[in-house]
Amino acid sequence: MKTKYTFKKINPGEFDKLKPLFGDNEEKWLKYRAGRLEQFEKSDIDVYVIEHNGAFIGEVSAIYSCHSLPDEAIPNVRAYFEAFRLEKEYRCKGLGQKLMNYALDDLNGRGYTEFTIGVEDDNDIAKHIYFKLGFTEEINRGHGNEFDPCEYTLYIKRN
């Protein structure tokens, strides 16, 4: 029997189902949740997920305005991907790539032609996926936030 996965864009009412992907720090989760819900209210974000047996096992967020780097996003042209997470037991099955393709297809259909993503230089697995998807041009360097305090390279994909 084939395992069924659903790829979809969620609404704010479904956001709390992401909590297991975030970790066990309740204070950070609540702060993260408040910020994300505020972005939903401003139509500044879409969150794409993989659902399996009623649980969200993977996510990626598309952000439509710049937060830390001026070239992350351009309204209605360039979206910035962040918060790409996948439960460990589901990794190395092509699901992360399928989720990114689902989000890219949706955004392409809405007129977006450029996409950026930040990745840590030592994250070879993520870089391999992103390069396969066309995120190959380095355009900037950035620093993470309290939820992901890292140094990263910003890559762009242009259609």
Side-chain angles (χ1 to χ4, degrees), residues 17-127:
K17 287 177 70 176
L18 293 170
K19 185 177 180 184
L21 289 170
F22 187 78
D24 58 2
N25 184 319
E26 185 71 15
E27 184 179 336
K28 272 191 176 179
W29 161 252
L30 291 173
K31 191 171 185 178
Y32 178 77
R33 179 185 183 277
R36 286 297 197 218
L37 292 176
E38 183 178 322
Q39 286 175 300
F40 267 118
E41 282 181 33
K42 295 177 182 177
S43 298
D44 190 30
I45 190 173
D46 279 313
V47 179
Y48 298 88
V49 300
I50 306 168
E51 188 172 25
H52 178 63
N53 293 332
F56 293 164
I57 62 163
E59 73 165 307
V60 67
S61 297
I63 310 295
Y64 305 119
S65 66
C66 299
H67 294 287
S68 60
L69 297 175
D71 42 9
E72 284 176 342
I74 300 169
N76 302 310
V77 175
R78 180 185 299 166
Y80 172 63
F81 286 112
E82 70 176 19
F84 187 20
R85 298 180 179 91
L86 186 60
E87 290 282 352
K88 286 184 182 180
E89 68 186 84
Y90 296 96
R91 294 180 187 166
C92 300
K93 297 179 180 190
L95 293 170
Q97 188 171 336
K98 286 180 183 177
L99 177 60
M100 285 296 294
N101 279 323
Y102 179 83
L104 288 164
D105 288 347
D106 180 63
L107 292 165
N108 277 318
R110 293 171 34 209
Y112 284 84
T113 58
E114 298 180 357
F115 309 93
T116 57
I117 195 159
V119 62
E120 296 139 5
D121 292 334
D122 63 350
N123 191 340
D124 293 331
I125 294 170
K127 287 186 348 187

